[in-house]
Amino acid sequence: MKTSMATVCISGTLADKLHACAAAGFDGVEIFEPDLLAAPESPEEIAAIAARLGLTLDLYQPMRDVEGVDEDAFAAVLHRAEAKFRLMNRLGIDLVLCCSNVATASIDDDDVSAGQLRRLGDLAQGYGIRIAFEALAWGKYIDDYRSAWRVVERADHPAVGVCLDSFHILSRGHDLADIALIPGEKIFFVQLADAPRLSMDVLSWSRHHRLFPGEGDFDLADFTARIVDAGYTGPLSLEVFNDTFRQTDPRRTALHARRSLRWLEDAVARTLAEVPADLRMLPDSAAPSGVDFVEIKAEDTSAIEELLHQLGFTSRGRHRTKPVTLWTAADARIVLNEQHARGWEPRLAAIGLEVDDAEAVDLRMHELRVPRAYRRTYATEERLDGAVAPDGTEVYWAQAADEGEPAWVAEFEHGEPETPTTVARVDHVSLSQPWQAIEEATLFYTAGFALRVDSSTEVPGPQGLVASRVLGSPGGEVRLPLNVAPPILADQRAGAALPQHVAFACTDVRALARAARERGFIPLAMPGNYYDDLAARFEMTDAAVDELRELHLGYDRDAAGEYLHFYTRTIGEVFLEFVERVDAYAGYGAGTAPVRLSAQGRR
Amino acid sequence: MKTSMATVCISGTLADKLHACAAAGFDGVEIFEPDLLAAPESPEEIAAIAARLGLTLDLYQPMRDVEGVDEDAFAAVLHRAEAKFRLMNRLGIDLVLCCSNVATASIDDDDVSAGQLRRLGDLAQGYGIRIAFEALAWGKYIDDYRSAWRVVERADHPAVGVCLDSFHILSRGHDLADIALIPGEKIFFVQLADAPRLSMDVLSWSRHHRLFPGEGDFDLADFTARIVDAGYTGPLSLEVFNDTFRQTDPRRTALHARRSLRWLEDAVARTLAEVPADLRMLPDSAAPSGVDFVEIKAEDTSAIEELLHQLGFTSRGRHRTKPVTLWTAADARIVLNEQHARGWEPRLAAIGLEVDDAEAVDLRMHELRVPRAYRRTYATEERLDGAVAPDGTEVYWAQAADEGEPAWVAEFEHGEPETPTTVARVDHVSLSQPWQAIEEATLFYTAGFALRVDSSTEVPGPQGLVASRVLGSPGGEVRLPLNVAPPILADQRAGAALPQHVAFACTDVRALARAARERGFIPLAMPGNYYDDLAARFEMTDAAVDELRELHLGYDRDAAGEYLHFYTRTIGEVFLEFVERVDAYAGYGAGTAPVRLSAQGRR
């Protein structure tokens, strides 16, 4: 189906926005009136720019407070409408959005509203224009799509139809069954926005917190499928008021927006029994089954090597064509990369994920227009496909090996045979996000890799609250906590403000901590008060608490199980964690995180 | 009365927080448990640091979910409590905050809760500790201070009293009359927080959006006066969970916090019929009666001089001891300062306000511990008293002249006599605030100058929403819109991200625009689409719209009157506006501001 976006969704001047939408592959745009008023270009110039860029101008919006008023007020409405219809003729737009009255309505009577819409329709028709009437969630009398349709049905005018906006309908929890009662040709327009479930007034929620489809809690696939089922054939258009998206680079945000519609198209196609030809699914792809490797990049990675050695990893040698080394412990593989890393402090630069169908992921990423990561590989080497995540991390994917180590490991030479270790695999990888990237990152991992949002929380640190959202595979094989540092640190690189970290799952974290200590390892020091509190909270024996204290282990327990873990110091922008999950514990030691943040603040 | 603050209010380690509170003049602190857990110092060391700094440790908090549980769960409560009481003995704290149960409560029975508090009281008493029981606004069964008091009364134990928290009570709108029914000696502690009126779930509101007293919409003076009236003699303690204050420099935020309590002390004293000896009013002071001067500072101010000349201002000469010049137009006085301005682009550096009692303002600022501004003045010159506002702007105050120009004008030499002009006075001064300074700035202007918050709004700009809050005098003689740029611009100086501006009131803005044009003035260009929309919105004649268009005038109209205005281009970090208010129009042309922001973005 055709795609469109309201210009209010992104930042910049109207001309900037048109260029951004065209570059991102949108078919058209809705012109948001304030954007036009502020533009130095005339309506004819805007129409010409759009035409040159290959964008259709699908809708002019919004026209407010047009019905439910007395005759004097309605005369003013007609005056105002006629001026706008003339303007729309200059722009070459033939559809205008009229929202239900929130301010000037004085008459709660369907017949009055219908009559006024009919007269407005007569006026519009003379200009070749149609009216899409929309119920705002906070409309004074008309605040429900079913009421809007009732009035439009009563208006019974060829130039008057409805606009269905997912936010106004889903935020109020209105029953969607009646969408089927609206003839498809009377649905003149559809506006799509997702949103997180928030308990706040619906106007503020709508104006500040909308999200692109796939990023919030609304079921956009079901909503859109019902509209397609009803016979709607117009564009799928985004209208997302979001404080962040209004600030960020419009070209990047438009790409992000377009990606959300590609995701939605797939989700809708999967929902419908009968899929129209212009709705295409993405290739099927299951969530990743594991972490193939984690790459840390720096001009000099020797401090990381020393840590890995102390923590029982084995050096598996150097890559045969690159200044890259591999360290492993069972299924945990760390690549240390010194190529093109002049001046870099150690940072987490890439992750590799094991997938069941690498080609399908490749095609999905292509369809989603995700920027590709590139690594020089040579003819005899394993191919490496990857994408650049919104925070700049490169995420690669490879077909999971049937058994044993992945084939690329053989490219490393002169290594030692692996010594047995308690470290089993990567448990989770925490990635610090710039504050403006978290929604885009969520869509990247869910649409690109079929990960899902497992949980969201906030962790108090000494410099403010750290927001954390975990993306994970259904079985917990891949867990990616995405963390956002408090805004006070926003001018720093995300990883510098809040270090990234890799956590490794162990079968016996106490044994590992002891063995590492014997090899000279010094863990991140946990404060004594923390252990006094553990004793009070969990009714542990003194001996058990003393062991944790001695090894600087963090501890948590919930109904599902226990969590024991320790941290290394931070090197550059990265640190390591070693964790043991007892029984079905699925968390991340939330009680320990503030203590860890504080200890890291003291480094 | 004694002052205290919960350590959760500010950023840093626990030791940082103690130092900040002591430096700001607090008498004591509440120890927030997570701060202690994360601290590397032992409880004894924390107690010693506090003692050396002269801070009392007034409260340990919070202990959660202690009542309304079955006997098995209560045994665990007692175990946990005993560990905490031992810890409190080590800290030397004799009062603990217990909040009403939100999680583990299974029994909704006052007798059960009272009995459990009594047994907890028995245990506490053995450690010389008392329990302050508080109803959380979202408590499972006990969510109202009256219920908490009913349970405490029934517990009837000398070691069990209530804690009254203004947020939990005022957010729910509970009747305050029953505070008078609680004996003063049973009010063990009082926690104070203001908040904006928000329509959202009370837990999120409480955890993220509390403000210091005087900065929100709650009547803290009335609340606190009732508690003092009831006979409470403990400290007035702040417990303000605020995402911003948790991030900012703790020393600065502690001073800000302490200032809010000094404001509150005054407000409470003014509320009470009988004022206790330890509650002191601030000196009386009315709101300023006008703007004495505005100062623009730069290495070279000639571009501003050219503008002022074009706009009908008169050069009144150079200061006799400083590289400073004065330009005036009736009661509008602009000081151009090139002293100590090496490398500065023009920016708004200072404002002078006319007050009825300069000495009273001076004393208020002293009592509020506001940092002072300093200007070198010489023996025969007028004295200049000022303070540094949170955004760095220097704000001076001087006794309003009985008639004619202020005495300091005579210090400028070799000027011209003023030519008649339509410019009458300063209408408003818009100051861009760093995002972390807006609350502190609000308190600075309200407590220091008796200005009040007139209105708040959000203006869409091409790079996001600009939040605007107007501080004004009751008669509109002084109007200071404080603007906060979108976070994407946060790493820039506030004035560079969003220019400051001075608006001058004129009696005939059309005549001024024409006259200025004849002197070569070029206004900020307003787009043609803006004028087409004016014609549609306001049903104006073509001639009227054409005149506005020709002169690049902005226009607004509301029920009270009309507003006509134009802008200069931005020079450095500042621009000028010239406005004509017709009848009682009290706004700022909100409809024009987005168009202006967009036009400025194109410079």
Side-chain angles (χ1 to χ4, degrees):
Chain A
M1 295 176 77
K2 271 196 63 183
T3 57
S4 188
M5 175 159 72
T7 54
V8 70
C9 303
I10 57 176
S11 76
T13 65
L14 183 53
D16 292 340
K17 295 175 184 206
L18 295 178
H19 278 94
C21 288
F26 279 93
D27 300 304
V29 297
E30 306 174 23
I31 296 287
F32 181 61
E33 179 171 86
D35 284 331
L36 181 77
L37 299 194
E41 296 86 0
S42 70
E44 291 78 5
E45 287 170 316
I46 292 297
I49 293 171
R52 174 167 57 82
L53 294 171
L55 287 173
T56 54
L57 301 182
D58 299 323
L59 182 80
Y60 189 80
Q61 64 121 317
M63 211 159 95
R64 297 189 189 281
D65 301 338
V66 297
E67 44 64 47
V69 298
D70 63 33
E71 273 302 308
D72 278 0
F74 191 66
V77 166
L78 289 176
H79 170 87
R80 181 157 57 92
E82 189 153 22
K84 294 301 168 191
F85 294 159
R86 278 199 211 102
L87 174 69
M88 287 172 63
N89 280 172
R90 295 172 65 193
L91 285 162
I93 303 182
D94 63 5
L95 187 63
V96 62
L97 178 77
C98 292
C99 331
S100 62
N101 199 320
V102 298
T104 63
S106 54
I107 306 168
D108 180 15
D109 182 332
D110 281 2
D111 282 331
V112 170
S113 292
Q116 291 175 339
L117 283 182
R118 191 180 313 121
R119 287 156 70 192
L120 208 56
D122 280 339
L123 181 65
Q125 211 166 19
Y127 289 88
I129 286 169
R130 298 184 310 151
I131 290 164
F133 183 59
E134 169 187 85
L136 296 177
W138 54 92
K140 188 161 174 190
Y141 300 122
I142 300 171
D143 60 358
D144 182 328
Y145 81 96
R146 293 164 294 196
S147 321
W149 165 238
R150 204 172 57 226
V151 168
V152 165
E153 199 174 17
R154 203 164 297 192
D156 189 25
H157 193 287
V160 179
V162 293
C163 171
L164 299 181
D165 179 307
S166 65
F167 182 88
H168 293 296
I169 298 171
L170 298 172
S171 66
R172 298 285 305 274
H174 291 149
D175 186 351
L176 302 183
D178 288 2
I179 290 175
L181 305 180
I182 310 176
E185 70 276 8
K186 292 302 274 185
I187 304 176
F188 282 7
F189 208 72
V190 167
Q191 291 180 315
L192 299 169
D194 205 339
R197 277 265 161 234
L198 295 175
S199 145
M200 65 192 305
D201 72 284
V202 70
L203 178 59
S204 305
W205 186 17
S206 171
R207 291 276 169 84
H208 301 284
H209 301 286
R210 293 186 179 203
L211 294 171
F212 293 122
E215 298 174 355
D217 296 325
F218 291 163
D219 188 347
L220 266 291
D222 174 54
F223 175 83
T224 311
R226 286 169 185 270
I227 284 168
V228 172
D229 248 351
Y232 173 73
T233 56
L236 298 180
S237 188
L238 297 167
E239 188 189 38
V240 173
F241 301 96
N242 178 291
D243 288 356
T244 298
F245 304 152
R246 283 179 99 141
Q247 297 177 44
T248 43
D249 173 7
R251 289 190 169 250
R252 177 162 170 176
T253 307
L255 264 172
H256 167 194
R258 184 64 189 76
R259 191 173 302 144
S260 78
L261 281 182
R262 186 65 192 88
W263 169 85
L264 181 64
E265 188 186 342
D266 171 73
V268 172
R270 287 171 195 273
T271 304
L272 288 168
E274 228 167 299
V275 183
D278 60 349
L279 266 183
R280 291 168 313 121
M281 284 188 208
L282 292 168
D284 284 325
S285 158
S289 55
V291 175
D292 186 15
F293 66 89
V294 171
E295 179 190 275
I296 295 172
K297 190 166 173 175
E299 178 169 332
D300 180 343
T301 60
S302 56
I304 303 284
E305 286 177 19
E306 187 189 358
L307 272 189
L308 291 174
H309 168 70
Q310 290 169 338
L311 290 154
F313 282 73
T314 300
S315 167
R316 302 290 297 281
R318 191 173 186 281
H319 193 270
R320 63 189 187 219
T321 63
K322 299 171 195 163
V324 173
T325 56
L326 172 65
W327 291 72
T328 67
D331 287 335
R333 289 176 284 277
I334 308 290
V335 171
L336 301 182
N337 183 354
E338 295 183 347
Q339 190 172 38
H340 307 316
R342 177 97 179 258
W344 283 38
E345 288 294 304
R347 69 171 77 153
L348 206 153
I351 317 174
L353 300 177
E354 295 172 348
V355 297
D356 66 335
D357 185 346
E359 200 173 340
V361 174
D362 199 79
L363 283 166
R364 286 176 80 92
M365 289 294 179
H366 175 77
E367 288 280 326
L368 293 164
R369 299 169 187 246
V370 170
R372 303 305 291 249
Y374 173 76
R375 292 292 169 97
R376 178 82 171 95
T377 48
Y378 295 89
T380 59
E381 295 170 7
E382 289 295 311
R383 176 179 154 173
L384 203 53
D385 286 310
V388 182
D391 66 351
T393 303
E394 296 181 355
V395 184
Y396 294 91
W397 54 87
Q399 203 77 30
D402 285 342
E403 58 184 84
E405 293 189 312
W408 60 265
V409 169
E411 294 171 14
F412 289 80
E413 299 174 336
H414 311 301
E416 295 163 21
E418 195 177 292
T419 48
T421 165
T422 173
V423 175
R425 58 181 198 89
V426 171
D427 184 88
H428 60 275
V429 183
S430 287
L431 299 169
S432 306
Q433 306 293 307
W435 61 273
Q436 56 283 59
I438 181 71
E439 307 303 347
E440 191 182 350
T442 301
L443 188 69
F444 172 82
Y445 289 109
T446 54
F449 287 105
L451 295 178
R452 59 180 199 193
V453 176
D454 276 345
S455 61
S456 291
T457 187
E458 273 173 341
V459 179
Q463 283 190 282
L465 298 176
V466 174
S468 182
R469 178 182 295 173
V470 181
L471 278 290
S473 61
E477 301 86 354
V478 173
R479 306 171 199 244
L480 304 176
L482 306 182
N483 301 318
V484 181
I488 199 100
L489 303 168
D491 54 339
Q492 300 180 28
R493 267 180 44 77
L498 194 69
Q500 323 266 19
H501 88 272
V502 187
F504 299 95
C506 312
T507 50
D508 185 345
V509 78
R510 292 180 185 85
L512 178 66
R514 287 189 198 285
R517 191 166 60 179
E518 277 166 29
R519 283 188 287 256
F521 172 69
I522 300 169
L524 183 75
M526 301 291 280
N529 300 328
Y530 169 75
Y531 293 99
D532 292 346
D533 181 61
L534 285 186
R537 263 198 296 158
F538 294 116
E539 304 197 40
M540 300 170 89
T541 63
D542 286 352
V545 173
D546 286 346
E547 186 183 27
L548 298 177
R549 190 190 307 259
E550 180 205 348
L551 298 172
H552 290 282
L553 287 178
Y555 179 80
D556 192 25
R557 188 200 299 160
D558 64 18
E562 292 172 287
Y563 190 66
L564 294 104
H565 57 137
F566 67 88
Y567 307 102
T568 71
R569 73 180 195 282
T570 302
I571 298 178
E573 300 177 11
V574 69
F575 67 97
L576 308 179
E577 181 184 1
F578 293 83
V579 317
E580 181 182 341
R581 293 176 186 272
V582 181
D583 299 330
Y585 182 94
Y588 301 85
T592 312
V595 177
R596 188 253 299 166
L597 285 167
S598 193
Q600 291 176 327
R602 289 195 296 274
R603 69 190 149 127
Chain B
M1 295 176 76
K2 271 196 63 183
T3 55
S4 189
M5 175 159 72
T7 54
V8 70
C9 304
I10 57 177
S11 76
T13 65
L14 184 52
D16 293 340
K17 295 176 184 206
L18 295 177
H19 279 94
C21 288
F26 280 93
D27 300 306
V29 297
E30 307 173 22
I31 296 287
F32 181 62
E33 179 169 87
D35 285 330
L36 182 77
L37 300 194
E41 296 87 359
S42 70
E44 291 78 4
E45 287 170 315
I46 292 297
I49 293 171
R52 172 167 60 80
L53 294 171
L55 287 173
T56 55
L57 300 183
D58 299 323
L59 182 80
Y60 189 81
Q61 65 120 316
M63 210 157 96
R64 298 189 189 279
D65 301 338
V66 297
E67 44 65 46
V69 298
D70 64 32
E71 273 304 306
D72 278 359
F74 190 66
V77 166
L78 289 176
H79 171 88
R80 180 157 58 92
E82 189 153 23
K84 294 302 169 191
F85 294 159
R86 280 201 210 102
L87 173 70
M88 288 173 64
N89 281 172
R90 295 171 65 192
L91 285 162
I93 303 182
D94 63 5
L95 186 64
V96 63
L97 177 78
C98 292
C99 329
S100 60
N101 200 320
V102 298
T104 65
S106 54
I107 306 168
D108 180 15
D109 182 332
D110 281 2
D111 282 331
V112 170
S113 291
Q116 290 175 339
L117 284 182
R118 190 180 313 120
R119 287 156 70 192
L120 208 56
D122 281 339
L123 181 66
Q125 211 167 19
Y127 289 90
I129 285 168
R130 297 184 308 151
I131 289 164
F133 182 60
E134 170 186 84
L136 296 177
W138 54 91
K140 187 161 175 189
Y141 299 123
I142 300 170
D143 60 0
D144 181 328
Y145 81 96
R146 294 163 294 194
S147 321
W149 165 237
R150 203 170 59 223
V151 168
V152 165
E153 198 175 18
R154 203 164 295 191
D156 189 26
H157 193 287
V160 179
V162 292
C163 171
L164 300 181
D165 179 306
S166 63
F167 182 88
H168 292 296
I169 298 171
L170 298 172
S171 66
R172 298 287 305 274
H174 291 149
D175 185 352
L176 303 183
D178 288 2
I179 290 175
L181 304 180
I182 310 175
E185 70 276 8
K186 292 302 275 186
I187 305 175
F188 282 6
F189 208 72
V190 168
Q191 291 179 314
L192 300 169
D194 204 340
R197 278 265 161 234
L198 296 175
S199 146
M200 66 192 304
D201 72 284
V202 70
L203 178 59
S204 305
W205 185 17
S206 171
R207 291 275 169 83
H208 300 285
H209 301 286
R210 292 186 179 204
L211 295 171
F212 292 122
E215 297 173 356
D217 295 325
F218 291 164
D219 188 347
L220 266 292
D222 174 55
F223 175 84
T224 312
R226 286 169 185 270
I227 284 167
V228 173
D229 248 352
Y232 173 73
T233 56
L236 298 180
S237 189
L238 297 166
E239 188 189 38
V240 174
F241 301 96
N242 178 291
D243 288 356
T244 299
F245 304 153
R246 284 179 99 141
Q247 297 177 44
T248 44
D249 173 9
R251 291 190 168 249
R252 177 162 170 177
T253 307
L255 264 171
H256 168 196
R258 183 65 188 77
R259 190 174 303 144
S260 78
L261 282 181
R262 185 65 192 88
W263 169 85
L264 180 64
E265 188 186 340
D266 171 74
V268 172
R270 288 172 195 272
T271 304
L272 288 167
E274 228 167 298
V275 183
D278 59 350
L279 266 184
R280 292 169 312 121
M281 284 186 206
L282 293 167
D284 285 325
S285 158
S289 54
V291 175
D292 187 15
F293 67 88
V294 171
E295 180 190 275
I296 294 171
K297 192 166 170 173
E299 179 170 328
D300 180 344
T301 60
S302 56
I304 303 284
E305 285 176 21
E306 187 189 357
L307 272 189
L308 291 174
H309 167 72
Q310 290 169 338
L311 289 154
F313 282 73
T314 301
S315 168
R316 302 291 298 281
R318 191 174 187 279
H319 192 271
R320 62 190 189 219
T321 63
K322 300 170 195 164
V324 172
T325 57
L326 172 66
W327 290 71
T328 69
D331 287 335
R333 289 175 284 276
I334 309 289
V335 171
L336 301 183
N337 182 355
E338 295 183 347
Q339 190 172 38
H340 307 316
R342 177 94 178 260
W344 283 38
E345 287 294 303
R347 68 170 79 152
L348 206 153
I351 317 173
L353 299 176
E354 295 173 348
V355 297
D356 67 334
D357 185 345
E359 201 173 339
V361 174
D362 198 79
L363 283 167
R364 285 176 81 91
M365 290 292 180
H366 176 77
E367 289 279 328
L368 291 165
R369 299 171 187 244
V370 170
R372 302 307 290 249
Y374 173 75
R375 291 293 170 98
R376 178 82 170 95
T377 49
Y378 295 88
T380 59
E381 295 171 8
E382 289 295 311
R383 177 179 152 174
L384 205 53
D385 286 311
V388 181
D391 66 351
T393 304
E394 297 181 354
V395 184
Y396 294 91
W397 53 87
Q399 203 78 30
D402 284 343
E403 58 183 86
E405 293 190 311
W408 60 265
V409 170
E411 294 170 15
F412 288 79
E413 299 174 339
H414 311 300
E416 295 161 20
E418 194 177 292
T419 48
T421 166
T422 174
V423 175
R425 58 182 197 88
V426 171
D427 184 88
H428 60 275
V429 183
S430 287
L431 299 169
S432 306
Q433 306 292 306
W435 61 273
Q436 57 280 62
I438 181 72
E439 307 303 346
E440 192 182 350
T442 301
L443 188 69
F444 171 83
Y445 289 109
T446 54
F449 287 105
L451 295 178
R452 60 180 198 192
V453 176
D454 276 344
S455 61
S456 291
T457 187
E458 273 173 341
V459 179
Q463 283 191 283
L465 298 176
V466 174
S468 182
R469 178 183 294 174
V470 181
L471 278 289
S473 61
E477 301 85 355
V478 172
R479 307 172 199 244
L480 304 176
L482 306 182
N483 301 320
V484 181
I488 199 100
L489 304 168
D491 54 340
Q492 300 180 28
R493 269 179 43 76
L498 196 69
Q500 322 267 19
H501 87 271
V502 188
F504 299 95
C506 312
T507 50
D508 186 345
V509 78
R510 291 181 185 85
L512 178 66
R514 288 189 196 285
R517 192 166 58 177
E518 278 166 29
R519 283 187 286 248
F521 171 69
I522 300 169
L524 182 75
M526 302 290 280
N529 300 329
Y530 170 74
Y531 293 100
D532 292 344
D533 181 60
L534 284 185
R537 264 198 296 158
F538 294 117
E539 302 198 41
M540 300 170 88
T541 64
D542 286 352
V545 172
D546 286 346
E547 185 183 27
L548 297 177
R549 189 190 306 260
E550 179 204 348
L551 298 172
H552 289 283
L553 287 177
Y555 179 82
D556 193 24
R557 188 201 298 162
D558 63 18
E562 293 172 285
Y563 190 65
L564 294 105
H565 57 136
F566 67 88
Y567 308 102
T568 72
R569 73 181 194 279
T570 301
I571 297 179
E573 300 178 12
V574 67
F575 67 96
L576 308 179
E577 180 184 3
F578 292 84
V579 317
E580 181 181 341
R581 292 177 185 274
V582 181
D583 300 328
Y585 183 93
Y588 300 86
T592 312
V595 177
R596 189 252 300 164
L597 285 168
S598 193
Q600 289 176 328
R602 289 194 296 273
R603 65 188 153 128

